[in-house]
Amino acid sequence: MHVINESTGKKHTVIVSQIDAAEIAQINKTKRFAFNWNKEKHFSVYKLTLEDSAEPIGMLSIAERPDDYALEIRLLASSYENVGPDKIYSRIAGCLISYACRESFKLGYDGFVCLKPKTKLEAHYIKRYGLQSTKLFLVTEGINSIKLIKEYYEN
């Protein structure tokens, strides 16, 4: 899995790792991410870091929805320096979404992942990641989830 430095075009290997409440609190104090991540400490929270760094460039909170046969992305964010036209690294959201898709397959949910878009990124998620709108959620499953895993997680 990799991100791309936008100024150099160089690929950098990244790692997704689960973090605990203490690390969430530390990250929250840095003010490098939108949202209050402390509210997510009762869910599975992950950080995306460059291979040789402990500093997160992306964050993801997911929760199982066994009654819906799905994994829900509760929160997804790139650090402030990795948002917008002047971002340092691209592919952060794709790496985190593909990680959720992979976990969904591992849990037996056939790649079914849903998220409620909390920003104006809904159209971007649909266009860039092939998510489908159910009006309440954006979803991916099956073939599209495999495509995302191949493009972002394995490539």
Side-chain angles (χ1 to χ4, degrees):
M1 187 167 22
H2 69 275
V3 292
I4 297 173
N5 183 303
E6 287 293 290
S7 62
T8 66
K10 184 179 176 188
K11 292 180 181 179
H12 294 271
T13 301
V14 290
I15 299 166
V16 176
S17 53
Q18 190 166 8
I19 58 177
D20 61 18
E23 190 168 359
I24 292 168
Q26 287 178 328
I27 290 169
N28 220 38
K29 288 178 187 175
T30 68
K31 306 283 189 213
R32 291 181 56 232
F33 291 90
F35 312 115
N36 180 354
W37 287 87
N38 287 320
K39 293 180 179 179
E40 297 302 304
K41 64 185 173 188
H42 301 294
F43 301 97
S44 297
V45 179
Y46 299 85
K47 66 179 181 178
L48 181 76
T49 59
L50 297 175
E51 184 177 44
D52 56 355
S53 173
E55 285 295 314
I57 58 173
M59 302 251 319
L60 171 71
S61 172
I62 56 177
E64 281 193 64
R65 295 179 59 118
D67 292 344
D68 297 322
Y69 200 62
L71 199 60
E72 179 182 359
I73 295 176
R74 293 181 43 80
L75 282 179
L76 171 70
S78 296
S79 58
Y80 285 124
E81 68 273 12
N82 290 298
V83 176
D86 297 325
K87 65 182 163 230
I88 299 170
Y89 297 107
S90 60
R91 295 177 45 98
I92 293 170
C95 288
L96 292 169
I97 293 168
S98 70
Y99 181 83
C101 292
R102 185 173 168 268
E103 292 302 299
S104 174
F105 278 110
K106 283 175 149 184
L107 292 165
Y109 298 147
D110 294 333
F112 196 99
V113 175
C114 62
L115 66 93
K116 285 184 185 176
K118 294 176 175 64
T119 66
K120 297 176 184 176
L121 291 174
E122 182 172 359
H124 173 71
Y125 287 146
I126 291 169
K127 183 177 179 182
R128 180 69 190 99
Y129 306 113
L131 301 179
Q132 301 291 315
S133 176
T134 68
K135 301 293 182 202
L136 181 59
F137 287 97
L138 293 180
V139 299
T140 182
E141 47 85 28
I143 292 171
N144 191 65
S145 292
I146 291 170
K147 178 183 163 198
L148 290 170
I149 292 167
K150 286 183 178 185
E151 181 175 349
Y152 291 97
Y153 194 86
E154 295 176 354
N155 189 0

